[in-house]
Amino acid sequence: MEYKEKTGAIKYAITGGPGCGKSSLIDELYKRGHYVVEEAAEPIIKEQMAIDGPNLPWKNRQAFQNAVLEMQKEMEAKIPEYGTAFLDRGANDGLAYLWLDSIEPPQEFCTGIKAHSYDKIFMLEELPASVYENTDYRKEDPETARKISALIHQAYTNAGYEVVMVPFMTVAKRAEYILREANAA
């Protein structure tokens, strides 16, 4: 077997359905001194809501996902070349949202996703419905969130990624779990 040295950044995508605790976990990893990439979707939604723009997921899912993919590309390009980064979602998440709305992803969208690669995918287990919260930009109910979660898992496994499931536990314990798994890579 030939040994190949890894070059470039090490990227760990943290994903899961809406409201599963990704952003809280990213905040925790940041507080612990790790390089993080925040979610691309939320700032786009906030910007579009402020101007009553057309690129909202509930107005035009494809245009919204195109904008998210473009912002994801820009954000990932800023990761230090030889650093390690934890990302709040990865590019493949967009496929799940298109599939949810029965939209066939255009070839250029799929090509854009393939330009991204991750060293490991961490998928957070959904939060119990009793603690799930909607926001102005998270409108899905818990059942839809579960469907999205399953579709996200499918999007990554279809792309050949091994998905590490992260059970429901405190944010601190999830961070410790992910850091252990990341170090095992």
Side-chain angles (χ1 to χ4, degrees):
M1 178 184 286
E2 182 182 328
Y3 173 76
K4 244 182 146 175
E5 185 176 336
K6 166 92 171 110
T7 59
I10 297 171
K11 298 189 290 186
Y12 299 113
I14 298 173
T15 191
C20 68
K22 293 177 302 299
S23 297
S24 296
L25 180 56
I26 287 291
D27 289 345
E28 178 69 18
L29 291 167
Y30 177 77
K31 288 176 190 170
R32 292 178 183 215
H34 297 281
Y35 189 94
V36 300
V37 176
E38 295 181 351
E39 181 183 23
E42 184 178 327
I44 293 170
I45 292 172
K46 286 180 177 178
E47 173 195 88
Q48 289 294 300
M49 287 178 71
I51 62 170
D52 194 28
N55 293 343
L56 287 163
W58 48 89
K59 285 185 176 181
N60 185 334
R61 178 71 74 184
Q62 183 66 62
F64 173 72
Q65 290 303 330
N66 289 342
V68 169
L69 185 60
E70 184 59 32
M71 183 176 273
Q72 185 81 28
K73 176 182 170 184
E74 293 169 13
M75 294 166 80
E76 287 187 32
K78 294 177 184 175
I79 297 171
E81 186 175 349
Y82 291 99
T84 298
F86 293 91
L87 293 82
D88 188 338
R89 295 198 179 279
N92 299 58
D93 286 47
L95 287 173
Y97 286 90
L98 294 176
W99 293 338
L100 180 72
D101 288 348
S102 300
I103 297 170
E104 182 65 32
Q107 185 57 45
E108 63 273 7
F109 186 80
C110 294
T111 300
I113 287 172
K114 288 178 184 172
H116 298 262
S117 66
Y118 306 101
D119 293 277
K120 198 171 266 196
I121 306 299
F122 292 103
M123 180 141 192
L124 304 186
E125 182 179 297
E126 298 90 16
L127 299 178
S130 60
V131 295
Y132 182 89
E133 293 180 20
N134 286 94
T135 65
D136 289 340
Y137 50 89
R138 182 189 313 128
K139 298 180 179 283
E140 301 89 358
D141 60 34
E143 179 58 32
T144 303
R146 280 190 289 282
K147 287 178 187 174
I148 293 168
S149 183
L151 291 169
I152 290 171
H153 189 274
Q154 180 183 346
Y156 284 99
T157 56
N158 286 0
Y161 288 102
E162 176 187 347
V163 177
V164 177
M165 297 303 296
V166 179
F168 172 66
M169 55 184 121
T170 67
V171 173
K173 288 191 184 293
R174 277 181 162 179
E176 291 162 14
Y177 183 91
I178 285 175
L179 291 170
R180 265 193 318 275
E181 289 289 324
N183 286 332

